[in-house]
Amino acid sequence: MPEIQFYTGENIPLELHKVRIVQKLDLVPVERRAEAIAEAGNNTFLLKNKDIYLDMLTDSGVNAMSDRQLAAMMVADDSYAGSATFTRLTDKLKEIFDTDYFLPAHQGRAAENILAMTFVQKGSIIPMNYHFTTTKAHITRLGGYVEELVIDEGIKIESDHPFKGNFDLERLEDLFKEKGDRIPFVRIEAGTNLIGGQPLSLENIEAVADIVHRYGKLVVMDASLLQDNLYFIKTREEKAKDLSIREITRRISDKMDIIYFSARKLGFARGGGIAIHDKELYLRMRELVPMFEGFLTYGGMSVREMEAMAVGLEETMDFDVISQGPLFIKYMTDELVRLGVPVVTPAGGLGCHLDATRFIPQVRQEEYPAGALAAAVYIAGGIRGMERGTISEQREEDGSEHLASVELLRLALPRRVFTLSQVKYAIDRIKWLYDHRDLIGGLRFVEEPSSLRFFFGRLDPVSDWQDRLVRAFRKDFGESL
Ligand SMILES: *Cc1c(COP(=O)(O)O)cnc(C)c1O
């Protein structure tokens, strides 16, 4: 999907695919939307799909698959051991990453479990540009510590830095000098999930690997969001502009010791696994696969998933294919900026992120602005996003609230799923909401589980603000949905 110029001057991304299977969607009236979010305890994880028009909760396991992926699923080789499907997948990984060994796992976090159980001990320090929820959970469960080394620009909401996911190399070097003996490996998340799908540059990735290898330690890449990162390296980095996607991928993988991924994102399928260059490292992790995942030639995945993944990985090497996500996200982000709506910039991968702190400054952090905005966006448009703010944090041991450093509402754009008119609709409803932002109030917990409260917790609005929002919608939109 290269940026194709329009004669009449319009500047929109053009799809280089056509839609051949569709799923019917409903858009329920605003009154029902207000009722549905109340039934869901103002928690978008608890909404039912039948009440949702645009599901922008996540990009995980919900990307569109290609005709070739679906066809490959029909010829999968179902056998417990020695499946030809597994051989095809391993060969594809060898072709792309030049890795000789592959350990399958049922999804990304299962790969993280295996890595953590093999390399993390009590007191270990795992440096990384930024953490991901499941990564951190596995490391801390085993008594390890996560050290985040992303550049300062990485956590600024508004920026024009092209690679906000980069490591601060000086801090990495200092950490090795001070506590290098406690570091078993360094984890590179390319691209980053929790700071808005922001990428790292090829130069930074190579520099990190060189430092880590100089200290004799391992470099591990979390490649779950690599497809977006490859696109950004190709389009934003001078030294990579003449390299093909395949060449960029090889430049990266040659520097890594281990590459793991969630195939719910990378490869437009489901499942996951760990690709490894070195036999000794492979043998250190191998026995954990049959113990926790399944036998070595399926690792908890169905053979159909593995066939889809092999084809999806091949399609990831196609610049047209991996451009769709970032270009749609850029379109949505740039339009919202143009309309004055506060968002994370520059546009990254994964989705568009609204900045709840500036969207509704009247809502105090103790009343969960990102959660309140998630409820309001659903009421305004039947659009489901994911709270990425204080609700997603855990309380301190003394019971006090741990306020998040940023309050974001993530609106994910699963790859090749939404049309541009649907994205325009989302922009329109968000702009309407922004013009009525004074109506939005906060939330308070009525049911708060002690762990993973963002998944299961239930909240109420602190006032009748949602009724007022519904009335304003009716006034402006008449009979319209
Ligand atoms: C989604 C994700 C994971 C976890 O993968 P699952 O398949 O959901 O278990 C790990 N790291 C990153 C960067 C991710 O985006």
Side-chain angles (χ1 to χ4, degrees):
M1 191 182 274
E3 278 176 73
I4 292 166
Q5 203 182 319
F6 280 62
Y7 176 61
T8 52
E10 195 164 15
N11 186 14
I12 54 172
L14 182 67
E15 294 85 347
L16 283 182
H17 58 259
K18 63 179 176 180
V19 178
R20 296 168 64 207
I21 295 181
V22 295
Q23 177 182 355
K24 173 143 181 7
L25 292 176
D26 288 319
L27 178 53
V28 299
V30 67
E31 292 80 7
R32 171 61 203 150
R33 303 201 289 263
E35 224 172 73
I37 198 70
E39 286 165 13
N42 281 278
N43 179 345
T44 57
F45 278 102
L46 302 180
L47 282 167
K48 300 252 177 5
N49 252 349
K50 67 177 172 48
D51 292 316
I52 293 165
Y53 175 52
L54 299 182
D55 190 0
M56 296 183 161
L57 186 74
T58 174
D59 64 335
S60 173
V62 290
N63 300 292
M65 294 172 92
S66 70
D67 48 358
R68 286 157 198 246
Q69 285 182 291
L70 290 174
M73 290 171 92
M74 295 295 107
V75 290
D77 178 26
D78 234 330
S79 52
Y80 187 88
S83 151
T85 291
F86 182 74
T87 307
R88 274 194 284 278
L89 176 56
T90 313
D91 289 351
K92 185 51 71 184
L93 286 159
K94 163 89 182 157
E95 181 196 314
I96 292 176
F97 293 137
D98 196 32
T99 44
D100 288 319
Y101 304 96
F102 178 60
L103 292 170
H106 76 274
Q107 61 185 89
R109 68 199 66 184
E112 288 172 335
N113 178 41
I114 289 167
L115 282 163
M117 291 217 299
T118 306
F119 299 106
V120 177
Q121 294 169 353
K122 203 165 177 336
S124 297
I125 298 171
I126 315 297
M128 53 188 71
N129 43 346
Y130 208 76
H131 81 282
F132 183 68
T133 49
T134 55
T135 324
K136 187 169 175 176
H138 281 296
I139 291 167
T140 53
R141 181 173 68 85
L142 296 169
Y145 297 91
V146 163
E147 191 75 51
E148 289 175 338
L149 298 176
V150 74
I151 54 171
D152 293 342
E153 202 73 14
I155 45 173
K156 278 205 197 127
I157 301 254
E158 275 184 302
S159 162
D160 53 10
H161 197 296
F163 294 106
K164 283 166 81 177
N166 276 354
F167 274 77
D168 185 326
L169 298 174
E170 239 170 79
R171 286 177 59 208
L172 179 64
E173 186 89 51
D174 288 348
L175 190 63
F176 266 110
K177 278 187 199 139
E178 279 165 39
K179 299 174 179 165
D181 53 326
R182 289 170 60 189
I183 301 174
F185 67 87
V186 170
R187 171 178 172 275
I188 302 179
E189 186 176 298
T192 57
N193 188 320
L194 299 186
I195 52 172
Q198 300 291 330
L200 297 86
S201 68
L202 178 58
E203 183 167 296
N204 192 258
I205 291 171
E206 291 182 328
V208 169
D210 288 344
I211 292 174
V212 180
H213 286 148
R214 195 149 34 76
Y215 286 93
K217 300 301 171 81
L218 299 173
V219 190
V220 175
M221 174 166 283
D222 179 343
S224 302
L225 300 174
L226 183 64
Q227 54 203 334
D228 299 332
N229 207 122
L230 290 169
Y231 168 85
F232 291 121
I233 288 174
K234 171 84 183 159
T235 56
R236 292 182 183 174
E237 192 166 354
E238 184 59 30
K239 79 175 211 180
K241 77 175 194 309
D242 296 324
L243 300 175
S244 68
I245 296 298
R246 221 174 261 280
E247 286 165 341
I248 297 170
T249 307
R250 266 305 270 286
R251 284 274 288 269
I252 293 172
S253 64
D254 284 351
K255 290 276 186 185
M256 299 299 121
D257 297 292
I258 294 172
I259 299 170
Y260 77 91
F261 57 94
S262 166
R264 299 176 64 82
K265 297 135 190 183
L266 185 69
F268 311 95
R270 284 165 196 85
I274 309 172
I276 310 138
H277 289 292
D278 178 59
K279 182 165 185 185
E280 198 260 330
L281 279 180
Y282 162 76
L283 291 176
R284 279 180 73 186
M285 291 183 274
R286 184 174 69 176
E287 69 174 35
L288 295 173
V289 174
M291 219 181 302
F292 291 96
E293 300 301 307
F295 188 66
L296 281 180
T297 52
Y298 70 92
M301 289 183 277
S302 83
V303 283
R304 295 192 209 300
E305 275 171 21
M306 289 195 286
E307 288 286 357
M309 197 196 298
V311 176
L313 288 168
E314 172 58 35
E315 291 178 352
T316 299
M317 296 295 105
D318 182 338
F319 182 67
D320 290 346
V321 171
I322 60 171
S323 301
Q324 188 276 340
L327 284 176
F328 267 51
I329 292 161
K330 179 171 167 29
Y331 177 81
M332 183 165 176
T333 304
D334 290 354
E335 283 298 292
L336 287 170
V337 168
R338 192 177 62 77
L339 294 168
V341 179
V343 290
V344 174
T345 58
L350 215 172
C352 176
H353 296 70
L354 304 184
D355 178 14
T357 307
R358 281 180 299 149
F359 201 113
I360 38 173
Q362 72 273 23
V363 176
R364 295 182 302 120
Q365 248 191 310
E366 290 77 4
E367 293 184 351
Y368 313 118
L373 188 57
V377 166
Y378 172 72
I379 293 172
I383 300 159
R384 165 156 81 165
M386 189 189 288
E387 194 267 1
R388 289 278 129 170
T390 297
I391 295 178
S392 297
E393 300 283 346
Q394 247 173 307
R395 280 189 190 268
E396 306 289 0
E397 267 162 33
D398 67 3
S400 65
E401 196 62 90
H402 178 95
L403 301 178
S405 52
V406 288
E407 294 283 340
L408 302 179
L409 174 62
R410 180 179 89 185
L411 298 168
L413 289 189
R415 297 165 188 92
R416 294 183 292 189
V417 167
F418 296 128
T419 62
L420 200 66
S421 37
Q422 288 170 329
V423 172
K424 284 189 169 195
Y425 164 85
I427 293 165
D428 181 83
R429 289 302 189 260
I430 292 164
K431 167 65 174 157
W432 175 82
L433 190 63
Y434 189 60
D435 289 347
H436 293 76
R437 59 190 179 276
D438 291 350
L439 292 176
I440 303 174
L443 300 173
R444 60 183 165 81
F445 271 104
V446 285
E447 268 180 61
E448 185 179 349
S450 58
S451 94
L452 299 177
R453 63 179 190 177
F454 62 97
F455 277 142
F456 316 122
R458 302 180 66 84
L459 303 97
D460 271 350
V462 294
S463 66
D464 67 344
W465 66 265
Q466 299 186 336
D467 299 332
R468 284 186 280 132
L469 200 61
V470 170
R471 284 200 295 276
F473 185 96
R474 272 286 158 252
K475 188 160 162 283
D476 287 357
F477 291 99
E479 296 293 293
S480 164
L481 294 171

